[in-house]
Amino acid sequence: MESSTSRTSLNCISLADPDIQRSVALLKQACLDSGFFYVIDHGISQEFMDEVFAQSKLFFELPNGEKMKLLRNEKNRGYTPMLDEILDPENQVNGDYKEGYYIGVEVPADDPQSNRPFYGPNQWPSEEVLPKWREVMEQYHREALRVAKSVARIIALALDLDTNFFDRPEMLGDPIATLRLLHYEGQVSNPSKGVYGAGAHSDYGLITLLATDDVVGLQICKDKNAQPQVWEYVAPLKGGFIVNLGDMLERWSNCIFRSTLHRVVLDGRERYSIAYFVEPSHDCVVECLPTCKSETNPPKFPPITCSAYLSQRYKDTHADLSSYSNGEA
């Protein structure tokens, strides 16, 4: 059961605001309320953002055969076809009506670090097919990580931690950071029949930065336990990021900060978005933060490494790769 949708209003945080305490207060309120907020004045130019979206569109317009040459591998790098991902198996009839492309931290195959689950070489379209593509995406990956680290410093202050808590090598000094280009075809979603652009889910990691075009589609549910669930649209913000907290930060903060259910419901218009998922290093142990526990509020979750946690979450939500070679998916 769910109720009809309206638009929600989100706090807007400027990374250029000299009053850091105001930013901390706005972020803290957002994290306690919905786990979603806008970030503006982040230092990435509109011209460059437009170029990233243009290059993304060029890839998704390639013939299906060309895209399937870059099918995601066991490291989750590369192309994810339509219906590859099923985020809400209880309510979805098929998978998500979206296609995507994963780009992670580039680590050469001969580097010992590439043996780790979320490190390794990316898959890239050939220069002949898309000449500027790799250069643009690698630059965006770097720029988005810089923005994410700035947001993480405000989150640290909001949790009464040292400003640079998340900058340490085992945290975001050596992160698992994944860029995902997304394309939703002109499908009309029908929640009552289990048809969604993206099924209801919460993100796995620390934080997500989302850039979107001007087509509305993202919805959030602030209280997943409410009956009926209330879903609200989040308006796109040109030049800004929609930022949300992931399950890992909810776990870290002992559920003080919230990772909120969200989904994509489409009205028949094509939609493009670019998500940037930020997680700490493979070996980082995610356990209750010292400022988030007390005698009356003991830790709710056991410690777990970031690598083990993420590996399981990816496995739970994506089609088995062998199904493509068997012709099933």
Side-chain angles (χ1 to χ4, degrees):
M1 283 287 294
E2 58 185 62
S3 72
S4 58
T5 48
S6 58
R7 284 205 184 193
T8 190
S9 59
L10 300 180
N11 283 358
C12 191
I13 295 163
S14 167
L15 295 186
D17 190 340
D19 185 352
I20 189 67
Q21 289 310 317
R22 177 165 55 191
S23 296
V24 169
L26 285 168
L27 182 140
K28 193 167 191 172
Q29 183 189 34
C31 292
L32 294 170
D33 174 46
S34 68
F36 274 76
F37 50 92
Y38 295 118
V39 165
I40 59 171
D41 303 324
H42 44 66
I44 302 178
S45 72
Q46 187 60 52
E47 291 75 20
F48 183 61
M49 290 298 301
D50 291 344
E51 179 65 14
V52 179
F53 273 94
Q55 292 293 327
S56 172
K57 190 175 183 185
L58 285 175
F59 173 79
F60 289 119
E61 286 175 343
L62 290 175
N64 202 50
E66 282 292 319
K67 291 185 286 191
M68 288 300 285
K69 289 178 187 174
L70 296 161
L71 180 68
R72 69 177 170 86
N73 55 25
E74 69 285 346
K75 298 265 190 179
N76 284 300
R77 306 295 179 90
Y79 177 60
T80 55
M82 202 69 63
L83 306 180
D84 175 82
E85 196 171 9
I86 183 158
L87 291 167
D88 185 12
E90 285 185 22
N91 295 304
Q92 282 181 272
V93 175
N94 300 309
D96 290 358
Y97 282 90
K98 69 175 191 289
E99 54 183 343
Y101 200 94
Y102 281 118
I103 301 166
V105 176
E106 180 74 24
V107 177
D110 58 0
D111 187 317
Q113 287 273 71
S114 72
N115 294 320
R116 313 196 113 194
F118 295 95
Y119 280 175
N122 284 299
Q123 299 197 77
W124 300 107
S126 73
E127 287 281 323
E128 292 76 32
V129 177
L130 295 173
K132 292 169 58 182
W133 209 81
R134 176 173 180 171
E135 178 190 339
V136 168
M137 296 308 164
E138 288 191 321
Q139 183 182 340
Y140 184 74
H141 200 291
R142 290 190 299 270
E143 293 278 332
L145 182 59
R146 174 187 58 75
V147 175
K149 287 181 176 181
S150 297
V151 174
R153 291 181 195 114
I154 303 173
I155 291 173
L157 291 172
L159 288 168
D160 298 319
L161 300 165
D162 181 77
T163 315
N164 299 316
F165 179 85
F166 292 110
D167 283 329
R168 293 180 294 168
E170 69 273 24
M171 301 279 185
L172 298 183
D174 194 14
I176 297 169
T178 305
L179 169 60
R180 194 175 189 198
L181 310 173
L182 293 163
H183 171 228
Y184 299 86
E185 289 190 351
Q187 171 88 23
V188 178
S189 299
N190 188 336
S192 66
K193 293 188 176 176
V195 177
Y196 301 90
H201 65 287
S202 51
D203 289 346
Y204 318 149
L206 186 66
I207 57 172
T208 304
L209 308 181
L210 182 72
T212 73
D213 61 14
D214 57 1
V215 177
V216 175
L218 177 65
Q219 295 181 346
I220 65 173
C221 174
K222 293 179 184 177
D223 183 357
K224 62 186 174 188
N225 297 316
Q227 289 297 332
Q229 287 184 336
V230 177
W231 289 91
E232 299 173 277
Y233 278 107
V234 174
L237 182 64
K238 190 171 180 67
F241 286 111
I242 299 166
V243 181
N244 65 283
L245 310 184
D247 297 340
M248 200 178 287
L249 188 55
E250 180 172 279
R251 187 179 180 122
W252 233 327
S253 70
N254 214 21
C255 296
I256 292 172
F257 280 4
R258 302 175 53 198
S259 174
T260 297
L261 270 186
H262 52 285
R263 67 188 187 185
V264 175
V265 173
L266 302 165
D267 63 4
R269 288 180 292 170
E270 200 173 20
R271 180 175 182 266
Y272 289 87
S273 65
I274 301 169
Y276 189 76
F277 303 102
V278 183
E279 286 93 30
S281 72
H282 282 77
D283 298 328
C284 180
V285 176
V286 180
E287 58 184 331
C288 184
L289 295 166
T291 56
C292 299
K293 60 185 176 183
S294 64
E295 284 186 19
T296 55
N297 186 27
K300 295 176 173 63
F301 307 99
I304 189 170
T305 65
C306 179
S307 176
Y309 179 75
L310 288 176
S311 294
Q312 188 57 50
R313 294 294 301 270
Y314 272 88
K315 188 179 173 189
D316 289 345
T317 55
H318 288 73
D320 189 326
L321 282 171
S322 64
S323 65
Y324 290 104
S325 51
N326 298 338
E328 294 169 14

